[in-house]
Amino acid sequence: MRLLKVATCNLNQWAMDFDCNMENIKESIAKAKEAGAVIRLGPELEITGYGCEDHFLELDTVTHAWGCLKDLLLGDWTDGIFCSFGMPIIKGSERYNCQVLCMNRKIIMIRPKMWLANDGNYRELRWFTPWKQKNQLDDFQLPIEIAEAVSQKTVPFGYGYIQFLDTAVAAEVCEELFTPLPPHAELALNGVEVFMNASGSHHQLRKLDVRLHAFIGATYYRGGVYMYSNHQGCDGGRLYYDGCSCVIVNGDVVAQGSQFSLKDVEVVTAEIDLDAVASFRGSISSFQEQASAKTKVPSVAAPYNLCQSFHLRMCLSGPLKIKYHSPEEEIALGPGCWLWDYLRRSGASGFLLPLSGGADSSSVAAIVGCMCQLVIKEIAHGDEQVKADAIRIGQYPDGQFPTDNKEFAKRIFYTVYMGSENSSETTRSRAKFLADEIGAWHLDVCIDGVVSALLSLFEKLTGKRPRYKVDGGSNAENLGLQNIQARIRMVLAFMLASLLPWVHNKSGFYLVLGSSNVDEGLRGYLTKYDCSSADINPIGSISKQDLRSFLRWAADHLGYSSLAEVEAAPPTAELEPIRSDYSQLDEVDMGMTYEELSVYGRLRKIFRCGPVSMFQNLCYRWGTKLTPAEVAEKVKHFFKYYSINRHKMTVLTPSYHAESYSPEDNRFDLRQFLYNARWPFQFRKIDELVQKLDGDKIVIKESTSSTSDGGGMGVVAAGSGDPKAGV
C-alpha cells in the first residue's frame, strides 16, 4: 500500500493585505503538518488575494508576492511538505497567474494557468496571459533576490507534472477544470495520480452541486485523487468565495470543508491509499487503451517519497455524504458571513438599516441577526479571531466579550422606521417587533415635518403645491411626492449612521445597509438616491421569490417569528395615501409580477435574449395562457422600463452577488445605460411575428420549463418610471 495524507484549505484572504494573507497561509501549513499531511494545497492567488483586479497591473503587487514567497522558503514552512502557493509572476513581457510548487525550501516547478476565467464576474484576460506552450517546460530565471536566498537560479516553468519517487502530482488551476478538454484527462493518461486545483470560486445560489459534480466526474471516469482549495469570505468586493475545499478519490468525496464560515483558516485532510487509484485505473480497459497512445506531457523529477507503506496508525478516509445547504440557508449564511467580513475590515462600528416592515428590509435585518448568531456560536467554539473582532467592534470593556446574540446586536445594529402620513400602523408594528426579536437598537421617526418643509419651499419658489394622484394630481406630481419621501429617508439614514455612535458615546461610524432586491433593479423600480442608496446591500442580487422563501425559513430556523407575518403581506411601498378604495401595491405599480420579472431576467441575461427572441421563447412558455399579442405587450412593457431605468444601475449600491441574472453593471452585466426605449426595430419585428402567428392560427403548447424563479433590487428616479421607496 502507498498511503498518502493530504491537506487542502479554505482561506479568508484579503486582496492586497499581504500580512493578513501570509498569516493565514502559515497557519494552514502549520495545521497541515500537525495533521501529518505531506501535501498542502492553498487557493488560487492566495498570496496577493484573488480580487486585486487592476492592482495586478502594478509591479509592486508582483514584487511583494515574491517577497512573501521568499519568507515562506527561508523558514521551515516547506520542510517535509509539498506546498502549492498561488501568486502572479512576470516572465519576459507577460504576466501569468501561477501555482508555485515547493518543497524543502526549494521551488520544484512553476505552473502558469492555461485557460483563464473571463466571463461573468471574471476578467482574468485583463490582467494575465494564458500559457499556451504545452510541449515543453521552459527554464525560468528567478529574481536575483530569490535566487540568492534559496541558492537556486532557475526553475522549470510551464505545463507539466512532478514525478516523485512514488507518485506523480500535477496542478490544474480553477477554470481549467471546466474547459471542454480539461488538463486532468491528459495528465491522468500520463500517470498523474494526484491533482491539485487551486481556485477562486464565488458563491451563487444553487450552484455548489455544479462544482462538486465536476470534481467527482474528473476522477469517476479515470481514477485519481482530486484536491480542491478555495478562498472563503469577502476579500474586498461584491463576491463571497464559498470555500467547500474537498478531496475526491475515484469519484467519491472523502473530505469536505465548510461552504460558509467566519473562520479565517480551515484545513481539510484526507488519508488515501494510492494503490486504490492504480487498481481502479487498471480495471478500465478503455483507460488502458488510451493511455498506451497518449500524448506525452513534460515532467519534473523530484527525488522525494511522499507515501508511507502499510501500517495501522493511519485510518483511510471513506466516502462521505455531500453537505449541501438549502437556498434559504445559503441566503442566511452567505450574505451573513460577507457582512461580517465587511464590517470587521471596514473599520465601522456596526450597521444601520432603514427598516420598513416589508419583505426586503426585513430580510436584511434577519441576515444581520443571523450574522450575530454566527459570531456568538464561533466565540463559544473558541475562535479567538472572531472573539477579538467582536470585542473591538462592540467596544466591550476589558475582560468582557459577547455571549448573547441579542445583546451583541444591540451594540452593533441600529434599525430605524421612517414613517410618513402614508405609512400604516401594521408595518410600523412589524418593524418594531422584528427589531426586538433580533435585539437591534430601534428608532421610530416621522418624516412628515421634513417633507412639509420641502413642499413649502417648493411652493414658495414656484407658486404651486403638488398633489397625489388619488387627490387629483398628475403623474408628475404623484411621482415627485413619492420621491421626496424616498430621498429624505436616504439623507436621514446617513446622518444617523454617522452621528448615532457619537450620541451613545461610541467611536466610529455605522454602515448603512440597502434593501433593494434584484428584480426591482432589473425593472428599475427604485428611486435613485433613496434608501436603496446605501454603503452595501446584502440582498441586491437575490430575487423577491427567494427572499419570501427565506422569510418563511427564517421565521422557524432563526427564531424571528414575526417574519411569517411580513412574508404574508402584499409588497407595497406605502408612498401614496391609503384610501378605502385604493392601496398602493408594487406589482400593480410595476405592471408585472415578481414571478414574471424573474423569467424576464433569466431570459435577458442567462439565455442572452433580446426583445424578439424573448418574445419567441415566451410564446412557447406562456402560449396556453396568453395570446401572442398579449405576450408581445408584456415583453415590450418590460423592455421599455428596463431601458428607461437602466441608468440607475450606474449608481447601484454595491451588492452581494448571488444570482446569475443580476443587472448590476459594475462588471457582471456590461451593457449601456442610454437606450432608445422605443426599441423601434425590435418591436416592429415582434409585431410582424404576432401578425404571422395570428394569421396562421398556430397553437403553441405550454413549455414544461419552470417560470417560478425570481431576483431583483429597489425604488425610482424622477421622471423615469414608477416609484417604490420602502420606508
Side-chain angles (χ1 to χ4, degrees), residues 545-566:
Q545 291 176 248
D546 280 338
L547 289 175
R548 298 192 80 125
S549 296
F550 165 70
L551 289 172
R552 292 191 294 269
W553 176 88
D556 294 331
H557 295 83
L558 296 181
Y560 307 142
S561 60
S562 61
L563 293 177
E565 183 182 345
V566 172

Side-chain angles (χ1 to χ4, degrees), residues 10-13 43 230-235 240-244 257-266 341 345:
N10 297 330
L11 297 186
N12 193 330
Q13 306 297 76
N230 194 16
H231 294 268
Q232 185 173 64
C234 166
D235 79 343
Y240 179 83
Y241 300 96
D242 60 337
C244 201
S258 65
Q259 187 177 7
F260 308 103
S261 174
L262 301 187
K263 291 183 172 66
D264 283 343
V265 178
E266 180 181 359
D341 280 343
R345 290 172 171 169

Side-chain angles (χ1 to χ4, degrees), residues 67-68 142 152 166 202 247 322-323 391 433 439 441 481 484 540 721:
C68 292
L142 291 172
Q152 184 179 1
D166 48 9
H202 69 279
V247 180
I322 300 173
K323 170 64 176 176
I391 291 171
F433 192 14
W441 188 292
L481 286 170
I484 288 171

Side-chain angles (χ1 to χ4, degrees), residues 340-380:
W340 177 247
D341 280 343
Y342 203 102
L343 176 61
R344 70 192 181 108
R345 290 172 171 169
S346 67
S349 303
F351 297 119
L352 183 137
L353 171 68
L355 181 59
S356 70
D360 294 335
S361 61
S362 296
S363 295
V364 174
I367 289 169
V368 176
C370 176
M371 182 202 79
C372 293
Q373 293 181 20
L374 290 173
V375 168
I376 299 305
K377 185 180 296 184
E378 287 302 322
I379 292 174

Side-chain angles (χ1 to χ4, degrees), residues 369-403:
C370 176
M371 182 202 79
C372 293
Q373 293 181 20
L374 290 173
V375 168
I376 299 305
K377 185 180 296 184
E378 287 302 322
I379 292 174
H381 290 164
D383 192 308
E384 291 300 321
Q385 183 61 59
V386 174
K387 182 178 178 180
D389 287 331
I391 291 171
R392 174 179 52 82
I393 294 167
Q395 300 182 26
Y396 284 86
D398 290 343
Q400 295 185 28
F401 60 90
T403 57

Side-chain angles (χ1 to χ4, degrees), residues 14-25:
W14 191 2
M16 299 302 293
D17 189 336
F18 293 91
D19 286 341
C20 164
N21 298 343
M22 284 293 288
E23 183 178 339
N24 291 343
I25 290 169

Side-chain angles (χ1 to χ4, degrees), residues 611-612 676 678-688:
V612 176
N676 183 343
R678 294 180 291 112
W679 296 81
F681 183 90
Q682 294 91 334
F683 287 4
R684 187 169 66 251
K685 290 294 182 183
I686 291 176
D687 290 340
E688 292 171 1

